[in-house]
Amino acid sequence: MSRAVPRSLAARLLDDYDRSLDRAGFCGARLAERLETISRIGLTENGGSNRPGFSEAERQAKDLACDWMRVAGMSVTQDAAGNRFGRLAGRDENLPAVMCGSHVDSVPDGGHFDGVLGVVLAIEAVEMWSAAGVTPLRPYEVAIFSDEEGSRFNLGLLGSGAMVGRHTQDELERLRDQDGRTFSSVVDAAGLPVPNFPQAQRDMSSIDSYVEVHIEQGRVLEREGLGLGVVSGICGLVGLEISVRGVAGHAGATPMPHRQDALVSASRMVVAINTLPGQFSATAVATVGQLNVLPNGANVIPGEVRFSVDIRDVAAGPLAALAERIVATTVQIAKADQVELSWSQVFSVPPTPVDPALVAVQEAAMAELGLPPFALPSGAGHDAMLIGAHAPMAMFFVRSRDGVSHNPREYSSLNDCAQAAHALSRTLTSLVNDPASPDEKQRRLHNV
Ligand SMILES: [Zn+2]
């Protein structure tokens, strides 16, 4: 009996590909082939990707993309964090560069589009310029950031974080991976000069703007019937830990009116929290994802429940107001139920706005292609999030089939990827040929 050989990713992508999208130097077959070639590195039994940050598989995927960049006429460098940069010289090398990129690491059994699509499309833009005989005015850089997913140290965005000076070496040294290995030993094994990791910090005035294409990892675009969207902002998040204390007791010996059941009160809180985000903004979300019931016995009335609340929104005001209301609501329920409540804020990350001048360029590019410039927020963090705090930033989202991500079933059609290539290339072409500084662009935007 022979097992069916799984069809190659490239063959599946090309199956329903609309070849009229092969124009302006874009080549669907090349994109499909590149996605497939990277997908073979760290391929899992389930047909997924396993390329943790600082692994041999991540390095191989970076090497491969760097080969493509060299062939496309870019010079390639690596910084102290293992980030790779391909640079295409501009006609005026004194101007700050336009940067575009993403990552090639993955979660342990991830998909073949998360991160990789952004890197491959950033390179495709150079292929398209080369076919059109275009030399950009500004230098252009493709960035491949190390360990975006954070599956190694449970701390993501390490490469882009190093570029913007997010962590000191001391902070990094405290990290341990799942096998208890220190940051130094992991980074050393990856062939990077260990104590120099923070030297990857870059003078951010050398970057004019940063654009990233990423799969949506949700179902908003699919529900809208759209292949491509413009990201309206990257959500900030507030993490709360709430503890409800009632009285534990025997499940048989305590009559119902005498109970202070912490789980019943916590359940009321969970239901109440679920109704609140819509009152603050259309994009706000709140999730109770972790619940610890104590003592967690089948015949014991729960004495204590600790639960997490993950609150996100693209706008700082509604985010803070929602977090406050969630706390106030739980306090109210605890009072009514006569249980004790304590809470703490475990983390808070402000939203990262996208740059309005860049968004105007993205929307113009989509309009030229006859695509509606649909805007949607990013609920997940991306390398763009850290860079956006230091340089003008914008993102495109590509439709994810069934909204599935971080899973071998992750898929985006080649037609959607091709539309993204065309919109990205037009956006980047405008940016690399615009000599105006970010300030001048803002003034221009507001004078229109
Ligand atoms: Zn990603």
Side-chain angles (χ1 to χ4, degrees):
M1 215 173 76
S2 68
R3 259 214 227 151
V5 176
R7 297 190 61 227
S8 80
L9 178 62
R12 279 190 288 143
L13 283 166
L14 285 162
D15 250 358
D16 59 351
Y17 179 55
D18 171 3
R19 283 176 200 277
S20 72
L21 289 162
D22 273 358
R23 53 184 151 77
F26 174 75
C27 175
R30 175 172 54 216
L31 185 68
E33 194 59 44
R34 288 182 170 179
L35 288 169
E36 161 150 355
T37 312
I38 292 191
S39 79
R40 290 199 210 106
I41 304 172
L43 192 64
T44 67
E45 275 179 9
N46 301 326
S49 282
N50 184 22
R51 291 188 301 271
F54 305 109
S55 65
E56 176 59 20
E58 187 201 35
R59 191 188 61 75
Q60 279 179 23
K62 284 176 180 169
D63 285 350
L64 191 62
C66 288
D67 287 345
W68 297 332
M69 294 199 275
R70 283 190 201 95
V71 171
M74 311 180 85
S75 54
V76 175
T77 54
Q78 172 172 272
D79 70 11
N83 298 318
R84 308 278 184 96
F85 299 97
R87 187 174 167 102
L88 184 70
R91 299 199 301 279
D92 185 348
E93 276 291 286
N94 295 319
L95 287 172
V98 172
M99 184 180 273
C100 180
S102 197
H103 61 97
V104 295
D105 67 310
S106 77
V107 295
D109 199 11
H112 301 303
F113 295 82
D114 182 349
V116 177
L117 181 64
V119 169
V120 175
L121 288 182
I123 300 171
E124 191 64 23
V126 178
E127 307 279 5
M128 293 169 75
W129 288 331
S130 159
V134 169
T135 303
L137 173 66
R138 289 178 182 276
Y140 171 71
E141 292 192 32
V142 175
I144 309 171
F145 294 110
S146 301
D147 194 16
E148 190 272 348
E149 297 289 1
S151 46
R152 171 72 71 171
F153 295 106
N154 211 6
L155 176 66
L157 309 172
L158 276 181
S160 49
M163 185 174 86
V164 301
R166 188 187 191 198
H167 299 291
T168 64
Q169 187 71 27
D170 283 352
E171 287 166 346
L172 296 169
E173 286 305 337
R174 280 184 232 123
L175 300 175
R176 296 286 180 276
D177 72 3
Q178 289 92 331
D179 305 323
R181 294 204 297 159
T182 62
F183 180 79
S184 295
S185 64
V186 169
V187 171
D188 183 49
L192 297 168
V194 176
N196 296 335
F197 200 86
Q199 279 180 14
Q201 185 171 2
R202 181 161 170 166
D203 170 10
M204 293 300 285
S205 67
S206 67
I207 297 170
D208 167 74
S209 45
Y210 177 80
V211 184
E212 180 167 348
V213 179
H214 203 281
I215 54 165
E216 184 203 333
Q217 305 177 282
R219 299 192 75 160
V220 174
L221 288 171
E222 191 173 68
R223 291 216 166 99
E224 294 289 329
L226 298 170
L228 189 66
V230 174
V231 172
S232 57
I234 299 182
C235 285
L237 64 168
V238 173
L240 302 178
E241 217 163 68
I242 294 181
S243 163
V244 183
R245 274 180 308 277
V247 179
H250 193 288
T254 319
M256 298 311 281
H258 300 171
R259 294 184 179 202
Q260 283 167 288
D261 184 327
L263 181 55
V264 170
S265 299
S267 303
R268 281 195 239 285
M269 293 173 192
V270 172
V271 171
I273 288 167
N274 190 54
T275 65
L276 295 174
Q279 299 175 20
F280 291 82
S281 91
T283 48
V285 290
T287 308
V288 175
Q290 214 171 42
L291 205 73
N292 287 305
V293 181
L294 301 170
N296 207 23
N299 60 354
V300 189
I301 298 163
E304 183 177 358
V305 173
R306 294 185 205 131
F307 62 93
S308 63
V309 193
D310 176 301
I311 310 159
R312 301 179 186 226
D313 197 18
V314 279
L319 175 65
L322 172 58
E324 258 177 55
R325 174 72 70 82
I326 285 175
V327 170
T329 302
T330 56
V331 168
Q332 223 171 27
I333 292 171
K335 251 190 205 154
D337 286 1
Q338 296 182 313
V339 292
E340 265 179 62
L341 183 107
S342 61
W343 64 275
S344 61
Q345 184 175 299
V346 282
F347 54 82
S348 166
V349 180
T352 310
V354 290
D355 184 79
L358 294 190
V359 170
V361 175
Q362 289 176 293
E363 289 178 346
M366 288 183 74
E368 285 165 22
L369 293 164
L371 303 172
F374 180 77
L376 73 167
S378 172
H382 296 288
D383 291 308
M385 178 174 82
L386 295 186
I387 299 167
H390 302 267
M393 175 277 286
M395 287 186 83
F396 283 109
F397 268 171
V398 178
R399 168 165 50 190
S400 296
R401 192 173 66 190
D402 301 330
V404 172
S405 181
H406 285 187
N407 182 300
R409 283 179 50 232
E410 188 177 273
Y411 193 79
S412 293
S413 78
L414 190 54
N415 292 337
D416 288 350
C417 297
Q419 292 288 18
H422 286 292
L424 177 68
S425 147
R426 281 170 188 262
T427 299
L428 293 173
T429 304
S430 300
L431 297 180
V432 293
N433 289 319
D434 186 348
S437 70
D439 285 349
E440 285 164 350
K441 283 179 202 164
Q442 292 302 330
R443 280 200 293 277
R444 199 167 60 195
L445 185 72
H446 293 116
N447 286 341
V448 173

